[in-house]
């Protein structure tokens, strides 16, 4: 990025007279300059804050299906199945790839199933910046994924509930068939998500509510699908 540096006034009289005036003013009323400086800084801060709040900003959404799970112990409930060794390796691979692409979430919303929790844990162990994200485990992510056509709307509601306007990147971790359906509905294109695949979606808005409203179903841009290497 090129930074433009504004030149200082060339006149030595200007510099001297300005400094002299400030010196005399501070002697007569030493608090006046301080109050004026604080007021200017406060107004500048408010102006920048208002301008930032009024801008439509790019929102990034990662829809990640959990890594491959193990079926070795048939006595376990589906909710309690852990990752397989291949699934553990895939979680490491995808975490590193997301970091390389710069898609590191600030907010992570995850199913509370064991295989999804383990996928996230491995990703956090491999890419430490994932630990900086705010994390919420959403029990309904496990059940809604099995319900035809309901996942996209449910994800929208949960994201809007837990996100803030300044949150620009959210990752939702869950299951098929719901995650494939949601990615396809958001983008308007057929998307296949195998285990530990992540769909990278993008939309714009002043808030997540506005991004979902403006993009609707079919208006999110698919930036790519990350797969284990």
């Amino acid at each position: 990025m090129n930074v433009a540096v504004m030149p200082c006034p060339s006149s030595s009289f200007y510099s001297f007279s300005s400094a002299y005036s400030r010196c005399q003013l501070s002697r007569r009323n030493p608090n006046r300059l301080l109050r004026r400086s604080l007021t200017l800084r406060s107004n500048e801060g408010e102006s920048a804050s208002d301008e930032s709040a009024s801008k439509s900003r790019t929102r990034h959404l990662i829809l990640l299906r959990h890594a491959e799970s193990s079926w070795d112990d048939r006595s376990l409930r589906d909710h309690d199945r852990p990752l397989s060794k291949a699934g553990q390796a895939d979680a490491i691979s995808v975490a590193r790839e997301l970091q390389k692409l710069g898609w590191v979430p600030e907010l992570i919303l995850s199913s509370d199933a064991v295989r999804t929790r383990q996928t996230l844990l491995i990703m956090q162990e491999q890419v430490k910046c994932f630990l900086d994200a705010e994390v919420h485990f959403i029990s309904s992510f496990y059940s809604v994924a099995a319900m035809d056509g309901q996942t996209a709307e449910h994800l929208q509601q949960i994201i809007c509930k837990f996100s803030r306007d300044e949150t620009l990147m959210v990752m939702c971790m869950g299951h098929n068939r719901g995650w494939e359906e949601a990615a396809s509905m958001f983008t308007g294109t057929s998307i296949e998500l195998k285990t530990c695949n992540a769909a990278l979606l993008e939309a714009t808005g002043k808030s997540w509510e506005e991004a979902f409203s403006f993009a609707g179903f079919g208006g999110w841009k698919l930036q790519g699908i990350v797969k284990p290497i």
Side-chain angles (χ1 to χ4, degrees):
M1 178 178 69
N2 294 324
V3 180
V5 180
M6 299 301 291
C8 294
S10 58
S11 169
S12 59
F13 172 75
Y14 176 89
S15 301
F16 171 78
S17 60
S18 297
Y20 178 79
S21 298
R22 288 195 299 271
C23 180
Q24 293 300 313
L25 179 60
S26 64
R27 286 178 179 176
R28 291 196 299 269
N29 188 350
N31 293 322
R32 183 177 175 183
L33 278 177
L34 178 60
R35 287 199 301 271
R36 183 171 180 273
S37 175
L38 290 175
T39 301
L40 286 173
R41 290 179 183 176
S42 176
N43 290 338
E44 289 172 359
E46 290 173 3
S47 176
S49 177
D50 292 342
E51 184 180 356
S52 177
S54 66
K55 287 184 178 179
S56 184
R57 307 180 71 182
T58 302
R59 311 275 162 180
H60 296 97
L61 174 59
I62 305 168
L63 296 182
L64 173 65
R65 185 182 172 193
H66 63 80
E68 181 186 272
S69 59
S70 171
W71 290 87
D72 290 345
D73 188 347
R74 297 285 178 170
S75 68
L76 292 174
R77 297 185 306 156
D78 180 75
H79 186 279
D80 299 333
R81 286 190 291 107
L83 294 184
S84 65
K85 290 184 178 180
Q88 294 172 26
D90 287 347
I92 294 172
S93 175
V94 167
R96 290 174 177 171
E97 187 63 22
L98 286 172
Q99 182 188 35
K100 187 188 304 181
L101 294 172
W103 285 66
V104 178
E106 302 160 86
L107 172 65
I108 299 174
L109 305 170
S110 173
S111 161
D112 65 351
V114 170
R115 55 188 179 274
T116 319
R117 286 178 176 268
Q118 287 186 346
T119 301
L120 175 57
L121 179 61
I122 291 171
M123 295 175 75
Q124 290 174 324
E125 289 173 345
Q126 293 300 314
V127 179
K128 298 305 181 184
C129 50
F130 275 79
L131 290 169
D132 296 332
E134 178 182 339
V135 178
H136 297 276
F137 292 101
I138 313 296
S139 60
S140 58
F141 277 10
Y142 175 77
S143 56
V144 76
M147 302 178 186
D148 288 338
Q150 297 189 33
T151 303
E153 185 175 351
H154 186 65
L155 286 175
Q156 178 176 331
Q157 293 172 353
I158 297 299
I159 291 169
C160 291
K161 176 181 178 180
F162 286 98
S163 66
R164 295 179 291 274
D165 290 351
E166 61 268 24
T167 305
L168 300 180
M169 190 168 300
V170 176
M171 180 166 73
C172 294
M173 303 176 62
H175 313 263
N176 268 354
R177 71 187 161 267
W179 257 238
E180 280 185 346
E181 284 184 350
S184 300
M185 289 180 69
F186 285 146
T187 61
T189 185
S190 179
I191 293 177
E192 180 184 25
L193 292 179
K194 295 183 178 180
T195 52
C196 218
N197 283 191
L200 311 182
L201 313 184
E202 182 180 286
T204 58
K206 297 176 185 176
S207 64
W208 283 91
E209 289 87 350
E210 185 174 276
F212 279 113
S213 177
F214 284 177
F217 288 146
W220 285 76
K221 296 178 183 178
L222 177 63
Q223 297 298 325
I225 297 178
V226 175
K227 302 177 180 181
I229 299 174

